[in-house]
């Protein structure tokens, strides 16, 4: 997904146009590639005077429209933000444009101050709540000192372990020889019931292959 999306973005950026429109441009990209694509988008309109035939005049005529859900990338990418709200499959409303910080804050709050319009009954927050379950003993030596000593082992959340694994993707060359094109090595590890674990890494480093091995 990520490699194909980078190719599509590159093909679009190579074209000379007055308006560039991207829908969810960063959805399949890793963090590094999201930043690179963002910088390239901004270069279209902010540093274009050295790239376009008529210099700064052509650069001033160009603008970019992006549909984006990643608020961090949106903050880095945009000069202005327009929020959309409504009912899925029924109607939608596009707000007037506002500065990036104001637009993001309005979206999170669910309230458009300029129009005195509340389109969501609750705010979106990033407050993290401490877990309310106890973790069973494992071999990592990180037992909870505040754990209830009267708690029965059967009531505690278990630990799931996975062994050392290796996956090799091969390809056949023109002379009929099979060679390894990609090798993923997984060290043994574990995770606990009730946890959410995120895999981070650049595209093509084996995140999907690792999930397939676990499955």
């Amino acid at each position: 997904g990520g490699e194909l999306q980078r190719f599509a973005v590159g093909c679009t950026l190579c074209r000379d146009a007055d308006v560039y429109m991207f829908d969810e441009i960063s959805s399949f990209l890793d963090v590094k590639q999201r930043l690179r694509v963002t910088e390239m988008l901004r270069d279209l309109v902010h540093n274009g005077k050295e790239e376009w035939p008529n210099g700064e005049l052509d650069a001033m005529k160009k603008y970019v429209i992006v549909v984006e859900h990643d608020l961090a990338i949106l903050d880095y990418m945009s000069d202005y933000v327009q929020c959309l709200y409504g009912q899925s499959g029924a109607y939608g409303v596009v707000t007037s444009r506002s500065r990036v910080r104001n637009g993001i804050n309005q979206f999170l709050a669910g309230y458009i101050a300029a129009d005195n319009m509340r389109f969501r009954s609750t705010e979106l927050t990033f407050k993290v709540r401490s877990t309310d379950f106890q973790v069973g003993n494992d071999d990592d030596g990180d037992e909870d000192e505040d754990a209830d000593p009267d708690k029965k082992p059967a009531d505690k959340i278990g630990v799931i372990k996975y062994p050392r694994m290796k996956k090799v993707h091969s390809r056949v060359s023109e002379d009929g020889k099979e060679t390894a094109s990609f090798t993923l090595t997984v060290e043994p590890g574990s995770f606990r019931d009730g946890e959410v674990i995120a895999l981070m890494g650049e595209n093509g480093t084996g995140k999907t292959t690792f999930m397939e091995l676990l499955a």
Side-chain angles (χ1 to χ4, degrees), residues 4-72:
L4 181 60
Q5 182 151 348
R6 292 205 307 272
F7 177 76
V9 171
C11 290
T12 303
L13 295 178
C14 288
R15 298 187 177 186
D16 185 6
D18 294 328
V19 183
Y20 296 85
M21 306 178 71
F22 298 92
D23 190 356
E24 300 187 28
I25 190 172
S26 66
S27 56
F28 289 99
L29 304 181
D30 58 50
V31 176
K32 178 181 177 181
Q33 296 298 339
R34 290 185 182 194
L35 294 176
R36 291 187 62 184
V37 167
T38 297
E39 292 169 356
M40 295 177 69
L41 287 185
R42 295 192 64 82
D43 283 344
L44 283 175
V45 291
H46 290 286
N47 298 324
K49 60 184 179 180
E50 298 178 358
E51 302 292 337
W52 304 109
N54 295 327
E56 188 173 4
L57 181 61
D58 272 1
M60 292 172 59
K61 294 179 180 178
K62 300 178 183 297
Y63 59 93
V64 180
I65 301 175
V66 180
V67 176
E68 183 55 65
H69 298 286
D70 188 326
L71 297 183

Side-chain angles (χ1 to χ4, degrees), residues 99-197:
R99 287 291 184 179
V100 178
R101 178 175 297 180
N102 292 337
I104 292 178
N105 288 338
Q106 289 174 358
F107 177 77
L108 293 176
Y111 176 70
I112 308 298
D115 301 331
N116 194 25
M117 170 62 69
R118 177 166 293 282
F119 59 88
R120 194 187 314 111
S121 59
T122 58
E123 296 184 5
L124 301 179
T125 63
F126 297 95
K127 295 180 181 179
V128 179
R129 185 177 63 180
S130 59
T131 56
D132 54 0
F133 58 83
Q134 292 195 8
V135 177
N137 294 333
D138 54 25
D139 297 332
D140 296 335
D142 57 347
E143 297 182 7
D144 188 359
E145 296 180 356
D146 298 328
D148 185 359
D150 297 329
K151 192 77 172 180
K152 296 180 181 179
D155 297 333
K156 297 182 178 181
I157 303 299
V159 177
I160 300 176
K161 298 183 178 181
Y162 56 86
R164 178 182 174 87
M165 295 178 286
K166 187 175 182 179
K167 179 69 174 181
V168 179
H169 291 288
S170 303
R171 61 183 175 186
V172 179
S173 60
E174 296 181 355
D175 56 1
K177 295 183 179 179
E178 184 175 343
T179 58
S181 60
F182 176 79
T183 302
L184 175 67
T185 303
V186 181
E187 298 298 329
S190 64
F191 54 90
R192 302 182 179 95
D193 291 345
E195 288 183 334
V196 178
I197 301 175

